[in-house]
Amino acid sequence: MKNQTITVRPLSAHTGAEIFGVDLSEPVGEQTDLEIRQALNDWGAIFFRDQDITAAQQVAFGRLFGKVEAHGYASNMPSVAGQEEVKEIARNPGDVRNIGGFWHMDLSFLEHPNYASVLYARELPSHGGDTMFAHLATAYDALSPGLQATLEALSTVHIKTHAYGVDGQPRKGISPAYYAKMLEKFAGIEATHPVVGRHPETGRKVLYLSPFYSDRFDGWTRQESVPLIRHLASQITRPENTCRFRWEEGSIAMWDNRAVMHFALDDYPGQRRVMHRLTVVGPWLEPVAGSALSD
Ligand code: SIN
């Protein structure tokens, strides 16, 4: 019988694990579902190889973990034919912009971000195009008790349009005209999240802060905020806190945006890369005592 016994092989000390023995085109039984959830909680990101699934099967897999949502209003990504919730992330040879090419948690600029993402590799460059992941709970654990306590009282404001530019400057690959259009299209899409939250399944405290989307600490100026945001980002992304996933066609990554941030590497100039992404809604991070937004 398929999908009865799974093997979990970690990619690094804290972050990411490959799962073997699962065929996602077949129903996943209750026990296997539990083991996959456990692996996701243990490692923040899990990876399956050699999958051959339709967009509808990708949606069915996502539904094992929660409600699957499209969030079309907050995205420029086209849907995959017939399946509104599955978004195509395509990079063509002439494209300068690399979608997801910065450390981030998906949709952190929403008040209730989708907690899980499921990304399916459809077309890959001959080399490069890996995705990196960094664990937000191990990053929190490594901070000094003094800084942990300070951060528990803080929140940051996450702004959607920071994906296109910041402080009036378009990012690499974005023209000033496109940046202006995005500022208009996505005006007001922002959310304030506590910097420290408690993961609802593992109970661990996580450092929920985005080097790109976090504009400032709530109540602070941007100028005051940037040095500390940069320091925390450098702590989260310390090499020993990360893993790097090398895609093959048919690979699927699933990650928990409450536990890891990720980065799509830009090292395959002149080649095409196409991924199908789905995001899942579920319980969000819980406030910790002393948190700015806990009362
Ligand atoms: C994303 O940021 O959601 C996409 C990551 C990737 O394409 O590797």
Side-chain angles (χ1 to χ4, degrees), residues 225-270:
S225 306
V226 166
L228 184 51
I229 291 176
R230 286 204 179 129
H231 172 70
L232 295 171
S234 73
Q235 296 306 297
I236 298 171
T237 58
R238 287 169 70 99
E240 65 272 24
N241 195 34
T242 67
C243 76
R244 176 173 180 145
F245 183 62
R246 184 148 296 158
W247 296 93
E248 292 164 354
E249 257 161 58
S251 298
I252 293 180
M254 177 173 197
W255 62 88
D256 181 339
N257 289 294
R258 304 163 304 187
V260 292
M261 61 166 76
H262 60 283
F263 188 135
L265 296 178
D266 181 4
D267 56 357
Y268 51 99

Side-chain angles (χ1 to χ4, degrees), residues 51-259:
Q51 302 295 320
D52 183 9
I53 59 169
T54 63
Q57 286 168 330
Q58 190 173 351
V59 170
F61 177 63
R63 285 203 176 119
L64 292 175
F65 298 88
K67 195 164 164 249
V68 163
E69 269 189 3
H71 279 310
Y73 72 93
S75 164
N76 280 330
M77 298 170 196
S79 290
V80 171
Q83 214 67 62
E84 206 209 337
E85 305 92 336
V86 181
K87 300 287 181 191
E88 183 177 273
I89 306 182
R91 177 110 184 273
N92 288 304
D95 292 348
V96 181
R97 180 168 179 237
N98 181 33
I99 295 176
F102 50 91
W103 284 109
H104 65 289
M105 295 80 72
D106 287 329
L107 301 163
S108 70
F109 43 78
L110 299 180
E111 203 173 316
H112 190 106
N114 295 17
Y115 86 90
S117 302
V118 180
L119 191 67
Y120 182 26
R122 306 298 297 172
E123 271 186 69
L124 291 173
S126 58
H127 55 269
D130 299 351
T131 305
M132 295 201 62
F133 296 85
H135 210 293
L136 304 173
T138 51
Y140 174 84
D141 291 346
L143 299 177
S144 66
L147 185 51
Q148 288 175 340
T150 302
L151 295 174
E152 286 187 13
L154 298 178
S155 297
T156 62
V157 181
H158 298 238
I159 298 183
K160 158 75 185 166
T161 54
H162 280 13
Y164 308 99
V166 69
D167 298 333
Q169 294 301 316
R171 294 203 190 270
K172 181 182 158 210
I174 307 279
S175 70
Y178 188 71
Y179 179 37
K181 206 165 129 190
M182 294 303 104
L183 282 177
E184 196 179 326
K185 178 172 177 182
F186 295 123
I189 299 190
E190 59 180 66
T192 303
H193 296 291
V195 174
V196 182
R198 191 177 296 285
H199 192 283
E201 271 108 52
T202 65
R204 294 180 76 185
K205 289 182 180 177
V206 304
L207 198 48
Y208 191 80
L209 168 130
S210 176
F212 260 49
Y213 288 123
S214 288
D215 179 73
R216 61 189 183 280
F217 293 99
D218 196 24
W220 297 26
T221 65
R222 180 156 166 78
Q223 199 188 16
E224 288 165 340
S225 306
V226 166
L228 184 51
I229 291 176
R230 286 204 179 129
H231 172 70
L232 295 171
S234 73
Q235 296 306 297
I236 298 171
T237 58
R238 287 169 70 99
E240 65 272 24
N241 195 34
T242 67
C243 76
R244 176 173 180 145
F245 183 62
R246 184 148 296 158
W247 296 93
E248 292 164 354
E249 257 161 58
S251 298
I252 293 180
M254 177 173 197
W255 62 88
D256 181 339
N257 289 294
R258 304 163 304 187

